[in-house]
Amino acid sequence: MLVTQYPVFQRFWYPVLPMADLADGPQSFTLLGQPLVLWLTEDGTPAALKDRCCHRSAKLSMGIVQNGGVRCPYHGWAYDREGTCTHVPQLDPGAAIPKTYRVESFQCQERYGYVWVCLSPDPLRPLPEIPEAADPNNRLIPQFYEPWHCSGLRVMENSFDNAHFSIVHAASFGVTEQPKPAKSEIVPLELGLKVYATVPVVNPPIQQQILNIPDSLTVREVESTWYVPFSRTLKITYPNGLMHLIFTAATPVSDSTSQIVQFCVRNDTEADASAASIIAFDRQVVDEDKLVLESTDYNTPVDVTVEQHMPSDQPGIVMRRQLAALIKAHETDLLPA
């Protein structure tokens, strides 16, 4: 499955940039092969346009923010958040700007500290709702923002795969003596998936300190949610009541590259466990996954007969079947010219 070949994937919201990055002026990002320019308007909300001036195709992301709009670095043409050209320095004062002077705009909003973009005016699903992130008693910790050379579907399947823990994560939390994966309760949604499991884990000394758990062996109560197509939450609850919820998005830059956006939400404080120590442990786990996932074929098949499977692959099989059905239901959609 090559995501840029199916227009239906343009009808979902994706996190593309940390909001903080826009403080320095216009920024560029490529979503599903579409180059974007993003900036903050006068009211502090983000805006997104195609990253090409309609005059001579210069990158608007190389320009500056001026009067709440973005100004082209080549001839100074300025555009508002709707993509309408609002100023052409070379025209006589008071001259009307032709209505054809415009750039394609895209839906854009802020959520969870990130800029989200939908390339279609008609999204199939709203942004993921994460109640734990909205709870003022919890803290949100930004973790990772980096490109991975693999498909979003591989990242999502891996997130629901209990069978790789004892192998891939043997150095972090996997129980090497127990390669048989924990059983899961799988609940398919109309577009998405929930999985519940009780997973035995090893807690190395640094993790015992972070979790305030003095035991090297314990269990995680896990509730995982897949948001079609390439986002998920992993909500882990430990025996002492600690909640560690991880949100991960594999935002599709191209067919072969995904931008990994990850943050966590916890119901403890910095005094209980520093953000730096939490990020350090999750970094180890993420790097273990990345090493393997970047070795996989990014053209991930949604046809379940193409690759071989085992019983614990059921969440991934559900994902593939849902995406195959989604593509088929929208196969008459046309890519924009």
Side-chain angles (χ1 to χ4, degrees):
M1 180 185 72
L2 301 178
V3 290
T4 63
Q5 295 185 7
Y6 299 103
V8 68
F9 291 112
Q10 297 181 4
R11 297 183 64 184
F12 294 91
W13 287 95
Y14 302 97
V16 297
L17 281 173
M19 276 288 289
D21 285 9
L22 298 184
D24 296 328
Q27 301 295 320
S28 63
F29 189 88
T30 300
L31 176 60
L32 286 163
Q34 173 64 66
L36 304 173
V37 56
L38 302 110
W39 78 96
L40 292 180
T41 60
E42 286 184 312
D43 62 3
T45 58
L49 301 179
K50 184 177 181 178
D51 195 12
R52 287 287 183 226
C53 179
C54 69
H55 176 225
R56 289 295 181 267
S57 79
K59 289 186 176 183
L60 297 173
S61 57
M62 295 174 60
I64 62 172
V65 175
Q66 188 176 73
N67 300 321
V70 62
R71 193 187 76 174
C72 177
Y74 196 179
H75 296 92
W77 291 25
Y79 301 89
D80 63 17
R81 66 176 307 132
E82 304 300 328
T84 302
C85 185
T86 58
H87 182 61
V88 178
Q90 294 78 20
L91 294 182
D92 292 334
I97 298 174
K99 292 182 179 180
T100 55
Y101 287 16
R102 62 176 299 105
V103 175
E104 186 177 6
S105 64
F106 303 101
Q107 293 196 76
C108 184
Q109 60 178 286
E110 184 273 337
R111 184 76 62 87
Y112 312 124
Y114 293 86
V115 183
W116 294 65
V117 171
C118 180
L119 296 179
S120 167
D122 186 24
L124 289 176
R125 283 289 184 270
L127 274 69
E129 292 289 343
I130 307 173
E132 293 84 358
D135 187 337
N137 295 314
N138 296 332
R139 55 175 172 153
L140 188 152
I141 303 172
Q143 292 191 304
F144 314 121
Y145 179 78
E146 61 197 32
W148 287 17
H149 299 297
C150 66
S151 76
L153 180 52
R154 294 287 188 197
V155 177
M156 293 298 101
E157 286 189 330
N158 179 75
S159 300
F160 290 76
D161 175 17
N162 291 342
H164 76 286
F165 296 161
S166 64
I167 309 298
V168 175
H169 300 301
S172 53
F173 69 87
V175 182
T176 56
E177 299 81 9
Q178 187 172 325
K180 190 174 181 179
K183 292 183 179 181
S184 300
E185 177 189 354
I186 302 171
V187 182
L189 307 174
E190 181 184 358
L191 262 184
L193 177 69
K194 274 191 176 290
V195 174
Y196 303 89
T198 301
V199 180
V201 296
V202 170
N203 292 314
I206 184 174
Q207 183 72 336
Q208 293 178 43
Q209 181 179 357
I210 294 171
L211 300 175
N212 195 24
I213 295 176
D215 302 317
S216 59
L217 289 172
T218 187
V219 296
R220 296 174 175 177
E221 296 295 333
V222 174
E223 175 186 335
S224 300
T225 305
W226 174 47
Y227 306 94
V228 176
F230 309 124
S231 298
R232 64 98 193 209
T233 52
L234 170 65
K235 183 178 180 180
I236 303 169
T237 305
Y238 291 91
N240 63 355
L242 175 67
M243 177 202 69
H244 182 83
L245 182 147
I246 298 172
F247 170 86
T248 306
T251 296
V253 174
S254 65
D255 290 324
S256 61
T257 303
S258 301
Q259 187 75 19
I260 301 301
V261 178
Q262 181 165 311
F263 60 82
C264 74
V265 180
R266 289 172 62 106
N267 61 348
D268 62 354
T269 68
E270 183 73 11
D272 298 317
S274 70
S277 64
I278 293 166
I279 293 170
F281 181 79
D282 283 351
R283 164 56 72 189
Q284 179 183 356
V285 174
V286 163
D287 282 349
E288 291 166 348
D289 283 323
K290 180 182 180 183
L291 182 65
V292 174
L293 290 174
E294 289 195 323
S295 76
T296 63
D297 184 356
Y298 63 81
N299 190 3
T300 314
V302 292
D303 181 347
V304 297
T305 67
V306 173
E307 295 182 335
Q308 303 305 305
H309 311 284
M310 57 183 173
S312 59
D313 293 326
Q314 191 59 33
I317 291 172
V318 171
M319 291 180 184
R320 294 186 186 203
R321 286 176 173 161
Q322 285 199 19
L323 291 178
L326 183 71
I327 290 169
K328 184 173 179 58
H330 296 270
E331 60 187 355
T332 59
D333 293 353
L334 298 176
L335 283 168

